Amino acid sequence: MSDDLSAALHDLAADHRTPPPVPGAEIRRRAVLRRRRRRTAVAGGALVTAAVAVTVTVGLLSGSDSRPDRTPAPVATQGHRKVVATLDLDRHRMTVDGRTLPVSAGSAQHPTPTGRMTVTAVHREKRMPAGDTGLGGEYDLKLPWVVELRTPEGRANYLVALTYDEKAPGTRDITRGWIGLRTDDARWLHDRLEPGDVIMVRAG
C-alpha cells in the first residue's frame, strides 16, 4: 500500500512540474547584467553627489567680499567701448561727464600706467592684499566702491576710495599705481561705470 502511494505521488509531481522559462545559461547571463546595472547606478549616484559637493563649495567660495556687483564684460567687446573718462596724472584730475574729480595716483616708485584702461568689474567692497597697499605686510584693506581695471599691458589696476587718506586726492600721489579718490567721488563714479567702459590715462 505504501509503495503504491509513493508511486502515485511521484507521478502527480511529475505531471505538474513546470520547466524553467529560460535555459540555465540565460538565467546566469541575466543575473550578470543585473549586477552590472546595480554597480553603474551606484557609481552614477557617487558622481552626482560629488558634483553637488563641488557646486556647493564653489558657491560658498564665490560669496566673498570681492565678488563684483556688476557682471564683467566679455573680453571680445571691451575694446569697442568709447572713452567715458580722462585722467591727467600731472594735474591730479579726472574728468567724467563734465565733472572734475581730484585723484591720487601712483608714487614715483610705483607709477600709474598710462593709456586706455578698460573697466572689467565693479565691486561694492573688495579686500585689497597688504602687498598692494604699501601699508605693511599685516594690513589687508577692505575698501568700498572699487572699480577694477585692465591696463594696456593686460594687468589689473583699480579705482578705489582712499578711506585711509581722504586728503591725498588732488594733492599727493601715494598709491602703488591705483587711482585713488575721495569716498563720495568714488561712490559716484562706481555707480556710473559699467564693465567695458574705457578710461584714458595721460601723463600731462
Side-chain angles (χ1 to χ4, degrees):
M1 183 69 174
S2 175
D3 291 340
D4 293 341
L5 179 60
S6 296
L9 291 174
H10 280 297
D11 292 341
L12 181 63
D15 291 340
H16 291 83
R17 184 181 303 153
T18 303
V22 292
E26 178 62 18
I27 293 174
R28 288 191 294 274
R29 188 184 71 82
R30 293 183 182 182
V32 169
L33 290 177
R34 282 195 296 271
R35 286 196 296 272
R36 287 178 181 174
R37 283 197 294 268
R38 283 196 293 269
R39 285 197 296 267
T40 301
V42 170
L47 288 175
V48 170
T49 302
V52 170
V54 169
T55 301
V56 170
T57 302
V58 171
L60 291 174
L61 292 176
S62 66
S64 68
D65 56 11
S66 64
R67 182 175 57 189
D69 59 16
R70 287 200 279 284
T71 305
V75 174
T77 63
Q78 288 177 355
H80 301 293
R81 293 292 187 93
K82 66 178 182 178
V83 175
V84 298
T86 57
L87 173 60
D88 187 330
L89 295 176
D90 290 347
R91 298 180 61 196
H92 307 93
R93 295 288 185 271
M94 175 184 288
T95 304
V96 186
D97 286 345
R99 178 171 173 173
T100 300
L101 309 176
V103 303
S104 176
S107 64
Q109 293 78 19
H110 304 280
T112 297
T114 58
R116 294 169 64 94
M117 291 196 189
T118 304
V119 176
T120 57
V122 182
H123 305 268
R124 168 62 182 81
E125 192 174 62
K126 183 174 176 63
R127 183 178 296 278
M128 311 302 288
D132 292 342
T133 65
L135 298 179
E138 68 276 21
Y139 293 107
D140 278 2
L141 282 182
K142 186 182 288 187
L143 297 175
W145 316 120
V146 176
V147 176
E148 192 166 345
L149 305 169
R150 187 183 66 240
T151 71
E153 294 78 24
R155 298 179 181 177
N157 203 8
Y158 302 93
L159 281 162
V160 302
L162 287 184
T163 55
Y164 55 92
D165 193 342
E166 293 274 352
K167 296 181 179 180
T171 60
R172 292 175 289 117
D173 292 327
I174 65 170
T175 76
R176 292 202 166 193
W178 299 351
I179 301 165
L181 301 101
R182 298 169 184 167
T183 300
D184 288 344
D185 291 339
R187 179 173 185 170
W188 179 84
L189 191 60
H190 166 278
D191 292 344
R192 297 185 70 83
L193 293 180
E194 294 287 344
D197 288 342
V198 174
I199 298 172
M200 179 61 73
V201 182
R202 300 189 179 94

